[in-house]
Amino acid sequence: MITVTNLHHSFFVGKRSNRQEVPVLQDVNLTVDKGEIVAVIGRSGSGKSTLLNLLSGYIKPTQGEVFIDGTNVTNFSEAEWADFRLDHLGFIFQSFQLIPSMTAFENVELPLMMKGLGEKERKQKVMEMFEKVDLHGLEGNYPSELSGGQQQRVSIARALIVNPPIIFADEPTGSLDTETETELLGFIKYLNEVENITFVIITHDEEVASIANRTIRLENGSIIEKDGALV
Amino acid sequence: MKWKDRLKFIRQNMKKNRSRVFMTVLATAIGCGFLIVLASVGFGAQKYISGQILQDRTITEISIHGKENPSEDERPEVTEKDIKILEDVENVKAVSRKQQVMNDTIIRYDEFMANVPASVVDYPSEIKSGFKLEKGRMPEAENEVIIGFHVKESLYKAPKDGEPIDGKELYNNKGEVKEEYRIEKEQSLLGEEVQLQVSQWIDGKEETKLIPLKIVGIAKEPSRDWMKDNNILISSSTLSKIEQFTGTPLGQAISPDMSEEQVNELKEGGEVKTFSEVKVIANSVENVKSISKTLKDKGYFIYSVTEELEQVNLVFALVKFGLVFIGLIALLIASIGIYNTMSMAVIERTQDIGIMKAIGGHPRMIRNIFLMESAYIGLMGAIVGAVVAYLVSFGINSALPFVIQQAFNETMEQKIELSYIPAYLTAFCVLLSIGVAMLSGLKPARRATRIDVLRALRRDI
């Protein structure tokens, strides 16, 4: 489903005459199979978020290749990435990233609107999704009127609404209390098992990583452990 | 994203800062309205001047005023030979020609009389040129004539003693024949026998001749209220009778103080038939220019109203350009407001744009949303501006007679539209406002597409 080969990423600091390369990821190789939950764990600054950003196309790798769903996305333009994200990827963020001026319904409806679906079809799909994430009755609420757990459910609903085969989750429980965290992890497990959605979860929390089929540990930009075995 | 959804999206965004959007729309409305009103004054003045030029003439008409360099055997006036040449020019519909009787012609009917200019015309050409009758038919017999629409009004009761009546006694202050001298309103001259009186000095004595004629047609009333048609159109055979009596071409009157030499010269001038008024009628306005050129090349002195109009239009094109340029400045100032509004909107919505891009928002879609928002502001401003411009224009035109009355103590006989807004001016200004608004929004829209997703999500911008 996802294949990463020889991936490098560096930041450059300083002026052009005195530019210095700061490597963030070095020689990362990994594969994620369809229907897996893979947790990428590591301490702060280990490069796990950078890895997810590279997989999402938010930044470009300095070296290496990324294949998602059989497509080489390494040299995608911004426009190509936009279309690819909309069709293949769902995103769950630590801080939910809901548009505050839109209601929960409108936030979930947004990807469908961007895909050009008709109003009637959109309404039907969004209402079904609200049932699915157990938020029925909260469609008209603005994000500020929802709890953290509810906001994360809206965020999941928005990620699921276009039926993506892969969901990237960046510290999905980072802003939630323990009870809500357990509930959310159960829901992710359910989606993986019942709907066969592939998850790549970035976390520093071992408990979150426990729901994964496989774990990849990063340190100083390199993979140091795969599936419990040191690399 | 569908257009309908984009529009919904835009409306939602605009509602977030209503007062700022309102002020921007207001600025655009003022700019657009100012532009329309300024240009409308140029259009109004052009329409008025063009109307004045065209009021008694036809736009397809070219007047011929003789020849530039006639050869030795030719006359400078337009002759029968020239008429043939003129008729053969491509795209010429008709050649209207008139031979004016050069005599003090008087029409007499019962006890009434009137001074009427008499002319000979070529009826087939006149019909082709657009000549129309109010009543009756075209002449068929030699003694049949057509009279002008106002001939009846100019008839007055002739004094029995033959002494001329003083003008003050005969006409009222409007220049019309007084009621007591006038012919009865119900009386129709159609089908009536009249007499055309011509006079000439023969052997030191003034002689008069009465030629009996029959009125068979009355010409259509002139299109302009102030124009009076007192002419009588006679046949060429009647003209021959007049010439036979006067002994001069076109019945030219001999003055008693003329020398014998002058009289002989006058009498000899009639060997070749010449026309006093010749008009070439083009089959369409587009062909006037090419016909005019051909006629000039053939050596004729011509005048066409289109030539005059072209010069007037050129002057007004410059005037309008100047006015539109001034108006554009107002619109450009408004565009700065739009640029500012859109830039602020992009800054305020950075996070929203970042989220949209993060979940699959296409850069083109984001750019289009902002461009459409600018265009929407431009459109609303233009609509408000156009409505205000129409109201201001109406106000200017309504207040003009009052202002002229107050400032110059003069009354306007004719309604003048100082401000005239043609539909295409409104359309042009509305499109221009939308265009300027979109141009103003272009840079902020581009900036929106370049927003870095990660920085936006981190609220780092």
Side-chain angles (χ1 to χ4, degrees):
Chain A
M1 196 85 194
I2 301 171
T3 308
V4 173
T5 53
N6 193 25
L7 198 69
H8 287 255
H9 187 72
S10 301
F11 291 122
F12 293 90
V13 291
K15 287 181 182 171
R16 195 174 283 183
S17 55
N18 188 27
R19 220 159 72 135
Q20 284 185 322
E21 187 179 347
V22 181
V24 189
L25 277 184
Q26 295 162 79
D27 200 23
V28 172
N29 292 283
L30 64 90
T31 53
V32 177
D33 293 327
K34 188 168 169 58
E36 271 193 315
I37 299 179
V38 173
V40 179
I41 56 173
R43 282 182 297 192
S44 186
S46 61
K48 56 187 191 304
S49 288
T50 304
L51 176 63
L52 190 74
N53 290 338
L54 284 165
L55 295 180
S56 311
Y58 300 153
I59 50 174
K60 281 191 179 294
T62 317
Q63 196 187 317
E65 283 185 322
V66 178
F67 289 84
I68 302 176
D69 217 3
T71 311
N72 186 349
V73 295
T74 320
N75 295 314
F76 262 14
S77 67
E78 207 178 336
E80 284 172 322
W81 260 117
D83 292 334
F84 190 81
R85 275 183 216 129
L86 197 58
D87 291 335
H88 296 83
L89 307 175
F91 297 90
I92 303 170
F93 303 96
Q94 180 182 355
S95 50
F96 325 127
Q97 302 294 3
L98 300 175
I99 295 179
S101 58
M102 287 181 168
T103 61
F105 182 95
E106 288 165 343
N107 267 288
V108 178
E109 188 191 25
L110 190 59
L112 297 178
M113 218 187 234
M114 294 196 293
K115 272 180 97 81
L117 264 71
E119 199 175 345
K120 207 174 164 187
E121 197 183 347
R122 288 199 311 253
K123 192 176 178 185
Q124 191 195 337
K125 279 182 182 267
V126 174
M127 293 313 282
E128 280 171 15
M129 190 52 71
F130 269 83
E131 290 281 349
K132 193 172 178 176
V133 297
D134 201 17
L135 281 175
H136 184 66
L138 295 173
E139 297 89 350
N141 287 37
Y142 285 93
S144 58
E145 296 163 349
L146 299 170
S147 70
Q150 286 168 334
Q151 285 190 59
Q152 196 58 296
R153 278 174 181 272
V154 174
S155 168
I156 293 171
R158 184 181 63 189
L160 290 172
I161 196 79
V162 287
N163 298 319
I166 305 161
I167 287 181
F168 292 147
D170 187 5
E171 304 277 10
T173 59
S175 304
L176 305 176
D177 57 56
T178 322
E179 198 184 328
T180 319
E181 179 185 315
T182 315
E183 206 178 293
L184 185 77
L185 292 176
F187 189 59
I188 290 175
K189 197 75 187 157
Y190 162 82
L191 289 171
N192 172 252
E193 285 168 0
V194 177
E195 299 195 10
N196 202 27
I197 297 172
T198 308
F199 279 88
V200 175
I201 304 171
I202 303 295
T203 183
H204 63 275
D205 189 337
E206 296 288 347
E207 201 184 324
V208 176
S210 68
I211 66 159
N213 306 109
R214 288 195 294 129
T215 54
I216 292 164
R217 191 177 295 276
L218 280 174
E219 201 175 287
N220 295 327
S222 301
I223 295 176
I224 57 161
E225 189 187 313
K226 260 187 196 171
D227 313 326
L230 289 174
V231 179
Chain B
M1 194 184 262
K2 288 186 172 173
W3 285 97
K4 192 180 147 193
D5 294 325
R6 284 183 197 180
L7 208 63
K8 186 182 154 193
F9 205 74
I10 288 161
R11 282 203 190 124
Q12 248 176 3
N13 286 336
M14 286 168 84
K15 276 180 194 167
K16 286 179 197 165
N17 206 324
R18 285 182 190 186
S19 59
R20 193 172 62 208
V21 171
F22 172 76
M23 294 310 278
T24 317
V25 168
L26 188 66
T28 315
I30 292 169
C32 182
F34 187 58
L35 177 64
I36 295 176
V37 170
L38 269 185
S40 79
V41 174
F43 277 96
Q46 183 181 17
K47 195 185 171 202
Y48 176 70
I49 302 287
S50 304
Q52 288 294 309
I53 293 169
L54 278 172
Q55 61 187 350
D56 56 345
R57 282 166 285 189
T58 322
I59 200 155
T60 51
E61 196 177 280
I62 304 161
S63 301
I64 313 290
H65 300 278
K67 278 166 281 184
E68 202 171 351
N69 293 310
S71 55
E72 273 183 22
D73 57 330
E74 276 185 328
R75 290 182 61 109
E77 298 98 336
V78 180
T79 62
E80 283 281 15
K81 195 179 149 196
D82 294 309
I83 296 293
K84 187 84 190 75
I85 294 169
L86 296 173
E87 280 176 335
D88 287 344
V89 172
E90 204 180 347
N91 297 317
V92 167
K93 188 171 144 193
V95 179
S96 157
R97 61 268 200 182
K98 194 180 270 183
Q99 284 178 293
Q100 184 89 41
V101 177
M102 312 290 272
N103 202 287
D104 190 16
T105 42
I106 294 169
I107 187 173
R108 288 183 175 274
Y109 171 66
D110 284 346
E111 53 182 333
F112 297 95
M113 63 183 283
N115 286 65
V116 288
S119 325
V120 179
V121 293
D122 178 56
Y123 288 115
S125 306
E126 289 304 309
I127 292 166
K128 274 194 204 169
S129 309
F131 177 82
K132 283 191 175 76
L133 289 174
E134 186 77 31
K135 278 181 198 167
R137 58 169 174 84
M138 298 305 273
E140 285 159 7
E142 288 178 353
N143 68 330
E144 291 179 342
V145 293
I146 290 172
I147 57 165
F149 186 83
H150 297 101
V151 167
K152 191 181 131 188
E153 285 175 19
S154 62
L155 283 170
Y156 60 89
K157 208 177 275 178
K160 280 176 186 159
D161 55 8
E163 284 296 308
I165 314 168
D166 181 53
K168 279 184 186 170
E169 169 65 22
L170 186 61
Y171 300 106
N172 62 19
N173 53 7
K174 286 182 186 170
E176 294 164 347
V177 174
K178 282 182 183 171
E179 199 71 47
E180 59 263 38
Y181 292 103
R182 226 187 266 179
I183 194 166
E184 274 179 44
K185 265 189 182 174
E186 294 74 29
Q187 175 70 52
S188 171
L189 294 180
L190 197 65
E192 294 295 312
E193 297 279 347
V194 291
Q195 288 186 310
L196 185 71
Q197 178 188 309
V198 283
S199 52
Q200 184 65 300
W201 280 87
I202 300 165
D203 301 330
K205 221 171 92 182
E206 192 181 19
E207 303 276 348
T208 57
K209 182 179 171 69
L210 293 172
I211 303 166
L213 299 169
K214 188 183 179 188
I215 298 169
V216 293
I218 296 168
K220 203 164 182 64
E221 187 180 5
S223 52
R224 307 281 159 179
D225 291 346
W226 48 266
M227 281 174 80
K228 300 281 177 202
D229 181 7
N230 291 325
N231 293 292
I232 179 165
L233 303 180
I234 57 171
S235 65
S236 50
S237 132
T238 307
L239 176 64
S240 301
K241 282 181 190 167
I242 294 169
E243 285 175 334
Q244 214 176 341
F245 166 69
T246 58
T248 53
L250 298 171
Q252 286 181 92
I254 296 168
S255 166
D257 52 1
M258 274 182 173
S259 65
E260 201 172 324
E261 200 180 318
Q262 281 174 313
V263 171
N264 287 337
E265 204 177 306
L266 200 65
K267 286 180 177 175
E268 282 161 15
E271 285 164 15
V272 181
K273 191 178 173 186
T274 61
F275 297 91
S276 51
E277 193 182 306
V278 179
K279 286 171 188 168
V280 169
I281 314 295
N283 57 10
S284 76
V285 181
E286 291 76 35
N287 293 325
V288 172
K289 210 171 179 178
S290 66
I291 295 172
S292 298
K293 193 182 175 301
T294 311
L295 296 180
K296 273 183 193 172
D297 292 345
K298 285 183 186 288
Y300 291 100
F301 286 119
I302 64 149
Y303 165 78
S304 121
V305 77
T306 50
E307 283 195 338
E308 199 175 327
L309 272 181
E310 263 177 30
Q311 286 166 6
V312 168
N313 287 343
L314 181 70
V315 171
F316 276 103
L318 292 172
V319 171
K320 281 187 281 185
F321 178 79
L323 292 171
V324 167
F325 182 75
I326 297 166
L328 266 181
I329 293 170
L331 203 58
L332 286 175
I333 292 168
S335 79
I336 297 170
I338 297 172
Y339 175 80
N340 185 48
T341 298
M342 295 315 296
S343 296
M344 290 298 288
V346 171
I347 292 167
E348 282 170 2
R349 284 180 229 153
T350 298
Q351 195 202 342
D352 298 1
I353 297 162
I355 294 169
M356 284 170 75
K357 284 180 84 172
I359 62 171
H362 202 285
R364 191 176 55 233
M365 178 200 79
I366 290 163
R367 188 195 61 206
N368 288 350
I369 284 173
F370 280 91
L371 276 181
M372 271 180 73
E373 194 168 324
S374 314
Y376 197 75
I377 289 173
L379 176 70
M380 284 201 296
I383 291 171
V384 174
V387 171
V388 171
Y390 272 100
L391 292 174
V392 171
S393 172
F394 178 76
I396 290 173
N397 292 333
S398 305
L400 193 65
F402 178 74
V403 172
I404 288 179
Q405 171 80 50
Q406 292 298 312
F408 307 107
N409 202 23
E410 273 182 37
T411 11
M412 282 163 56
E413 284 177 13
Q414 207 183 335
K415 195 188 166 199
I416 298 175
E417 251 187 308
L418 179 64
S419 167
Y420 167 65
I421 308 175
Y424 66 84
L425 173 65
T426 314
F428 169 75
C429 291
V430 169
L431 288 177
L432 193 69
S433 299
I434 295 170
V436 168
M438 283 179 84
L439 274 177
S440 312
L442 199 60
K443 201 176 173 192
R446 275 195 196 141
R447 204 184 301 148
T449 62
R450 289 191 199 126
I451 282 173
D452 184 80
V453 177
L454 292 178
R455 288 183 70 195
L457 295 184
R458 284 198 298 258
R459 294 162 177 77
D460 211 13
I461 300 173

